[in-house]
């Protein structure tokens, strides 16, 4: 019998893809020659937003900027733990101004602790939070120095993980926290260096390990509320294993957003505490 799962109400920050397009390429999924259907992207995004709300979660919306086509990937703009906000600093010039938009939003909302970071970190793209740790990706975007900065700011041990496959350039493309308190995760082992794989096995011996096919459909780019797991519907191989653990997988179609190299999680920043 799978253990009973309980969802807890979440607060998410999202940014509509009103100006989403692929005009540059900073990851292997982005091909500026391939057309994007902006209207469809918006419909898919609204579907995700409405799904969160129908599950009882709160979604705040960040105003998109016509100059920043990747702003729809709101997860990258900051990391919030216990109400403390660590801003982002983007690796690529094309996205740099997004960091300021996020910082301004948090200040406008009256968050008391908002830190502009010194080192490059792409928010929840590379930081995943469990009750015990902050798991932190490096290798393509966030600087290893940002890991120390996050540890000092949040006062939680940061576990550095080396990403080695350019298709999985952010931690959230290869790993998802399913249950923070239980420290339950799913991940795609081949996205990580051998040493990091060993670290993951040691810390999370019961993790759900994804197959290559599901990883390549962005199946790890998922959001869990402790019970419901929203993930790309094409990652069919993950549904049964999630159900067997007592989770309720909810397949979403974010096909247009995949053209920018992101899916469910990339579009969703969690505002914790
Ligand atoms: N085009 C964006 C980039 O390459 C996609 C970001 C996806 N976001 C994420 N959290 N993985 O930066």
């Amino acid at each position: 019998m799978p253990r009973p799962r309980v969802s807890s109400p979440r607060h998410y920050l999202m940014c509509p893809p009103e100006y989403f397009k692929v005009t540059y390429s900073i990851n292997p999924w982005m091909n500026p020659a391939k057309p994007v259907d902006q209207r469809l992207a918006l419909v898919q995004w609204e579907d995700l937003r409405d799904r969160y709300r129908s599950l009882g979660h709160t979604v705040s919306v960040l105003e998109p900027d016509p100059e920043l086509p990747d702003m729809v990937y709101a997860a990258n703009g900051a990391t919030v733990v216990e109400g403390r906000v660590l801003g982002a600093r983007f690796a690529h010039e094309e996205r740099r101004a997004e960091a300021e938009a996020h910082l301004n939003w948090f200040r406008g909302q009256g968050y008391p602790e908002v830190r502009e970071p010194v080192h490059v970190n792409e928010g929840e793209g590379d930081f995943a939070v469990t009750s015990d740790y902050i798991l932190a990706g490096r290798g393509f975007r966030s600087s290893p120095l940002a890991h120390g900065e996050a540890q000092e700011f949040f006062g939680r041990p940061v576990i550095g993980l080396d990403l080695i496959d350019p298709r999985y350039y952010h931690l959230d493309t290869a790993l998802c926290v399913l249950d923070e308190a239980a420290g339950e995760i799913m991940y795609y082992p081949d996205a990580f260096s051998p040493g990091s794989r060993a670290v993951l096995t040691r810390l999370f011996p019961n993790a759900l390990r994804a197959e290559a096919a599901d990883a390549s459909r962005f199946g790890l780019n998922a959001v869990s509320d402790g019970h419901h797991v929203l993930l790309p519907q094409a990652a069919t191989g993950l549904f049964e294993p999630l159900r067997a653990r007592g989770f309720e997988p909810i397949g979403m179609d974010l096909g247009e957003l995949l053209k920018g190299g992101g899916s469910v999680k990339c579009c969703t920043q969690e505002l914790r505490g």
Side-chain angles (χ1 to χ4, degrees):
M1 268 291 279
R3 55 140 96 201
R5 300 285 174 178
V6 211
S7 67
S8 54
R10 310 288 169 130
H11 187 180
Y12 299 124
L13 180 63
M14 298 179 71
C15 180
E18 267 162 52
Y19 309 108
F20 173 63
K21 36 185 189 281
V22 179
T23 51
Y24 51 81
S25 178
I26 54 174
N27 71 55
W29 306 88
M30 298 175 85
N31 176 3
K34 212 162 144 186
V36 167
D37 183 337
Q38 214 170 72
R39 204 196 50 86
L40 181 57
L42 192 58
V43 168
Q44 294 173 339
W45 180 91
E46 285 169 347
D47 201 28
L48 179 63
R49 179 203 57 195
D50 294 348
R51 189 59 75 108
Y52 287 137
R53 288 182 173 155
S54 73
L55 291 170
H57 305 306
T58 304
V59 177
S60 291
V61 174
L62 181 65
E63 190 66 40
D65 181 325
E67 302 297 313
L68 300 169
D70 267 339
M71 223 177 142
V72 59
Y73 304 112
N76 300 131
T79 306
V80 185
V81 184
E82 290 174 292
R84 294 169 65 78
V85 182
L86 179 63
R89 183 175 290 275
F90 286 82
H92 295 97
E93 185 55 42
E94 292 90 336
R95 298 196 67 186
R96 218 148 275 171
E98 292 181 42
E100 191 62 28
H102 279 260
L103 287 175
N104 288 338
W105 187 84
F106 284 106
R107 291 188 186 117
Q109 295 291 309
Y111 277 78
E113 286 281 349
V114 181
R115 169 78 58 98
E116 187 175 351
V118 175
H119 301 291
V120 169
N121 89 67
E122 296 201 346
E124 289 194 318
D126 279 322
F127 289 135
V129 182
T130 73
S131 304
D132 292 331
Y133 309 109
I134 294 178
L135 306 176
R138 60 188 175 210
F140 296 102
R141 300 289 179 90
S142 298
S143 158
L145 294 172
H147 296 185
E149 194 175 8
Q151 176 164 287
E152 195 57 35
F153 183 67
F154 292 122
R156 288 199 194 192
V158 169
I159 310 291
L161 298 168
D162 291 294
L163 296 164
I164 56 164
D165 181 333
R167 289 176 304 159
Y168 306 106
Y169 58 94
H170 272 146
L171 182 66
D172 73 358
T173 64
L175 182 148
C176 166
V177 176
L178 296 168
D179 181 330
E180 295 88 349
E184 205 168 334
I185 66 167
M186 60 175 177
Y187 67 99
Y188 175 50
D190 288 0
F192 298 91
S193 70
S196 295
R197 251 177 266 158
V199 168
L200 288 169
T201 306
R202 183 178 291 267
L203 292 179
F204 306 101
N206 301 317
L208 166 49
R209 290 177 184 76
E211 305 287 341
D214 295 311
S216 71
R217 292 170 185 141
F218 261 65
L220 284 318
N221 199 246
V223 170
S224 172
D225 65 12
H227 178 199
H228 311 98
V229 180
L230 285 73
L231 76 169
Q233 64 185 18
T236 49
L238 287 169
F239 284 61
E240 261 327 295
L242 283 168
R243 280 194 197 105
R245 286 162 186 255
F247 294 103
E248 188 181 325
I250 300 178
M252 304 299 303
D253 180 7
L254 289 169
E256 288 308 297
L257 279 318
L258 205 55
K259 295 175 181 170
S263 190
V264 176
K265 174 57 204 172
C266 297
C267 294
T268 313
Q269 184 188 135
E270 185 166 349
L271 308 175
R272 297 179 190 79

